Amino acid sequence: MDPVIGAIRQELAAHADPAIRENAQRFFKEEVRCYGMKTATATSIAKKYWKEAKSREKKDIFALCEGLYGSGMMEEAFIVSAWAPLLADRYEPDDIAVFRHWIDTYITNWAACDSLCNHAVGDLIVRYPGEIEELKRWTQSENRWMRRAAAVSLVVPAKRGIFLADALAIADLLLT
């Protein structure tokens, strides 16, 4: 295991609160695994360890993200969601395949889906508008989180008036 992942997990465990962990479940229909902490605490841990991770190659940071996702813990997913948009200036069109894999493999609740897609996937689409066709394909996935990802990835750009027609087209595809 990468030492950064080990250090993150130790810090997350040190901030775990059983009462918050128990209370967190009420926001979800599905079972969620979490340490139990406020999202702001997980975000602060993400910022702290980003200082150690940011100088690595993008593929190595993506590998760290995959390692964090692999635990199935919600706060580790939030760290990925904090880090991935920080790589936006390094995105390439093929990175949509990485995000598709993460969503299809690791996303198991609305919070993890929205936090990744509102920013990282949306940022990639803004940078590479041709990849919007991928989002439209996601609307036909059997995986409900992939379908949700198609819908929520354009929330932030749409708030700025970008991709409004595409956002509506995706909504129509999801309704049919």
Side-chain angles (χ1 to χ4, degrees):
M1 174 189 331
D2 189 285
V4 171
I5 291 176
I8 288 169
R9 287 184 176 151
Q10 278 186 326
E11 191 151 348
L12 289 169
H15 285 87
D17 181 333
I20 294 175
R21 179 175 44 247
E22 187 176 318
N23 191 42
Q25 187 60 53
R26 72 186 176 104
F27 295 102
F28 301 92
K29 292 179 183 177
E30 56 282 321
E31 177 83 21
V32 293
R33 294 183 59 228
C34 63
Y35 291 92
M37 69 189 63
K38 295 183 185 260
T39 305
T41 304
T43 301
S44 136
I45 293 168
K47 286 179 185 175
K48 175 180 177 180
Y49 288 96
W50 176 247
K51 292 174 186 170
E52 293 184 38
K54 70 180 178 182
S55 62
R56 296 184 183 198
E57 295 292 323
K58 181 181 68 176
K59 69 178 178 57
D60 296 329
I61 296 170
F62 278 176
L64 286 174
C65 291
E66 184 118 6
L68 290 165
Y69 267 140
S71 73
M73 299 299 280
M74 191 162 51
E75 293 88 351
E76 292 186 39
F78 289 164
I79 291 172
V80 173
S81 296
W83 285 3
L86 298 173
L87 295 168
D89 63 335
R90 301 191 221 176
Y91 287 167
E92 300 168 63
D94 290 346
D95 292 336
I96 195 77
V98 173
F99 295 147
R100 180 181 59 239
H101 167 72
W102 289 352
I103 296 161
D104 200 38
T105 307
Y106 303 114
I107 301 298
T108 60
N109 64 69
W110 64 264
C113 183
D114 293 9
S115 62
L116 175 70
C117 296
N118 283 171
H119 300 286
V121 179
D123 291 348
L124 185 137
I125 297 299
V126 167
R127 192 170 174 101
Y128 300 105
E131 297 305 316
I132 205 148
E133 295 306 313
E134 177 77 9
L135 295 185
K136 291 176 182 175
R137 285 190 291 276
W138 292 0
T139 65
Q140 304 307 302
S141 175
E142 291 183 20
N143 180 327
R144 72 177 171 161
W145 303 116
M146 190 69 71
R147 292 190 310 272
R148 183 179 179 100
V152 301
S153 292
L154 295 181
V155 167
V156 174
K159 282 165 101 174
R160 290 186 258 147
I162 306 169
F163 301 120
L164 293 174
D166 292 302
L168 292 171
I170 287 171
D172 285 341
L173 288 167
L174 289 166
L175 289 171
T176 58

